[in-house]
Amino acid sequence: MVGLTDPVRARRCPLSAETFDSAPAQGSRPVPRWRAALLRAAPALGLFAAARLTGLLVMAGWAWHLGRSPRAIVARAWDSDWYMLIAEHGYGRTLYWPDGAVQSDLAFFPLYPALVRAVTTVLPVTSGTAGLLISWTAAAASAWGIYAVVERLHGRRTATVLVLLWGLLPHSIVLSMAYTEPVLTAFAAWSLYAVLTRRWVWAGVLAALAGLSRPNGIAVAAAVLVVAAYELVRAYRRRERDRALGRIWAGAALAPLGWCGYVLWVGFRTDDPLGGYFAVQRGWTSRFDFGIGALKVVRDIVLRPTLLSLMVAMLIVVAALLLFALLALDRPPTALLVYTVVLVLITVGGSGFFESKPRFLLPAFPLLLPPACALTKARPRAAVVVTVVLAGLSFAYGAYLLTLSPIAL
């Protein structure tokens, strides 16, 4: 037991819920906090990498069997091709369909194609390869960020289980594609971690970057703004005046800049400052209608024969709503709750591309807290069986989505 007079005092590390000795052993160098945090997360990151690599190999093997190129599937399929074309040629591509639909590339947020262009400028690689490098790096950063958030709240075991579950979701194959969900999740997880650790400027900067990544990146800004507002109101009621208030104000001011900046830019480019971006989204049949469109699709799925991917999408959305109810009953930190509420609301309340809703929910990792806590407490044999079943379903369904499903992911 450490005495009050001992030179080495156990203290809480701000990067986790664990404690460590502030002074290193005699003759050794102090371990940087980030490295210590990474070492703690290493088992979880290893399991996540193994899960995603296995899923990618299963998909690649099946694609080769069908005579298709796995690289083309993960690097230039569906939305990936839009992002790569923006990176290569800039904005300005519009498709006009016989039914009157108009699809503009202004619907795609700019951070990911900008990163792709930056990588191709520095490295002698194609846009598709750059996109994959960015997505895989972001997926690893996401897993670490998720681990850091959950470790702080529930400890190492639950954090490790949750990261593995996230890597075994039915649509987790998206994390291996040139898509933007890994990028958004990375910024979201670390922004939420910054809020939990009261690093307000970092929280705001990361939220702004999340807002430049995807339309639902506004969920990160919403979480930062709500928690910042609560902290400011509480501080002013207590008549507190210190430097921390300035940092809170700065974080709150920075958080929405990315999302709002791009929406306004599209508005001015289309000569409709406030409504231009939303008009572009309507061209893609995407609008917020409080779930009316989604309910119509669910009705058709239930009453008529339908595609497997649509049926699975409906089951995942229903499961997400149930998990959200369990999460809310557990009273998570406000930042996680607000972030998840906005993501679920955008996904369920939006119309268009029902088959993509599970992908839109990938960044909503707090939904996995209830099952992760349950698996942590379960018997080891039961936890292993559940994990193996989830892995088999994830790998098989991921291969189906990218090689056999006739509709976009």
Side-chain angles (χ1 to χ4, degrees):
M1 183 174 180
V2 180
L4 294 178
T5 59
D6 290 338
V8 178
R9 304 280 181 91
R11 65 181 176 91
R12 184 173 298 275
C13 173
L15 291 178
S16 75
E18 303 295 326
T19 58
F20 73 100
D21 290 337
S22 59
Q26 187 174 3
S28 64
R29 294 181 178 180
V31 178
R33 291 175 179 174
W34 68 267
R35 186 177 298 175
L38 181 58
L39 289 174
R40 290 196 306 276
L45 299 182
L47 290 171
F48 174 79
R52 291 308 337 124
L53 179 60
T54 304
L56 188 59
L57 290 175
V58 169
M59 186 281 299
W62 185 246
W64 280 320
H65 173 72
L66 297 176
R68 299 180 60 187
S69 167
R71 183 191 175 281
I73 291 173
V74 296
R76 299 292 299 229
W78 298 310
D79 287 358
S80 297
D81 195 46
W82 283 89
Y83 282 113
M84 297 308 119
L85 289 172
I86 294 171
E88 294 163 359
H89 307 291
Y91 285 99
R93 183 185 183 209
T94 303
L95 297 182
Y96 299 89
W97 297 94
D99 61 359
V102 179
Q103 295 180 331
S104 168
D105 59 6
L106 292 174
F108 297 92
F109 276 53
L111 180 60
Y112 186 68
L115 292 174
V116 171
R117 175 172 288 188
V119 171
T120 57
T121 301
V122 175
L123 300 178
V125 296
T126 63
S127 297
T129 299
L132 291 176
L133 291 175
I134 293 167
S135 294
W136 294 348
T137 302
S142 300
W144 187 12
I146 292 171
Y147 178 91
V149 170
V150 181
E151 182 199 31
R152 184 172 184 85
L153 300 175
H154 297 280
R156 292 186 186 182
R157 289 185 61 189
T158 303
T160 300
V161 170
L162 193 144
V163 169
L164 179 58
L165 288 177
W166 190 63
L168 294 177
L169 289 173
H171 281 65
S172 58
I173 190 68
V174 172
L175 303 175
S176 303
M177 300 176 66
Y179 264 53
T180 53
E181 276 73 18
V183 176
L184 169 60
T185 308
F187 289 130
W190 285 108
S191 179
L192 293 172
Y193 180 78
V195 172
L196 294 176
T197 54
R198 303 183 66 81
R199 293 172 169 88
W200 294 105
V201 176
W202 274 114
V205 170
L206 293 169
L209 292 171
L212 283 171
S213 304
R214 286 192 53 77
N216 52 357
I218 190 62
V220 190
V224 175
L225 286 171
V226 169
V227 178
Y230 172 79
E231 293 292 336
L232 289 170
V233 169
R234 189 175 66 169
Y236 283 119
R237 282 182 176 178
R238 295 179 179 180
R239 297 183 179 180
E240 295 177 358
R241 297 290 188 274
D242 56 28
R243 294 180 180 178
L245 294 183
R247 290 192 291 270
I248 296 175
W249 276 111
L254 290 168
L257 289 183
W259 190 89
C260 293
Y262 182 69
V263 168
L264 289 174
W265 180 79
V266 173
F268 282 108
R269 179 159 174 161
T270 56
D271 297 322
D272 184 1
L274 298 180
Y277 170 77
F278 303 101
V280 168
Q281 286 289 359
R282 286 194 296 273
W284 287 82
T285 71
S286 294
R287 61 184 181 276
F288 189 82
D289 62 358
F290 299 94
I292 295 174
L295 287 175
K296 291 179 180 178
V297 176
V298 170
R299 179 197 60 193
D300 292 339
I301 292 173
V302 173
L303 297 179
R304 304 171 186 172
T306 189
L307 296 171
L308 174 62
S309 50
L310 284 173
M311 178 65 73
V312 173
M314 182 188 70
L315 295 176
I316 289 175
V317 171
V318 171
L321 292 174
L322 294 175
L323 289 175
F324 175 74
L326 294 175
L327 176 69
L329 290 173
D330 196 40
R331 296 183 179 180
T334 303
L336 268 66
L337 184 61
V338 172
Y339 169 70
T340 310
V341 164
V342 177
L343 280 179
V344 171
L345 186 62
I346 291 173
T347 301
V348 175
S351 66
F353 298 101
F354 188 89
E355 64 276 10
S356 299
K357 290 186 182 298
R359 173 166 63 86
F360 300 158
L361 288 170
L362 271 178
F365 66 89
L367 291 175
L368 297 175
L369 277 171
C373 291
L375 276 179
T376 302
K377 299 174 183 177
R379 294 181 179 180
R381 181 175 298 179
V384 170
V385 170
V386 170
T387 303
V388 171
V389 171
L390 289 175
L393 292 174
S394 174
F395 302 154
Y397 190 64
Y400 165 80
L401 282 175
L402 297 193
T403 60
L404 297 175
S405 177
I407 54 179
L409 178 61

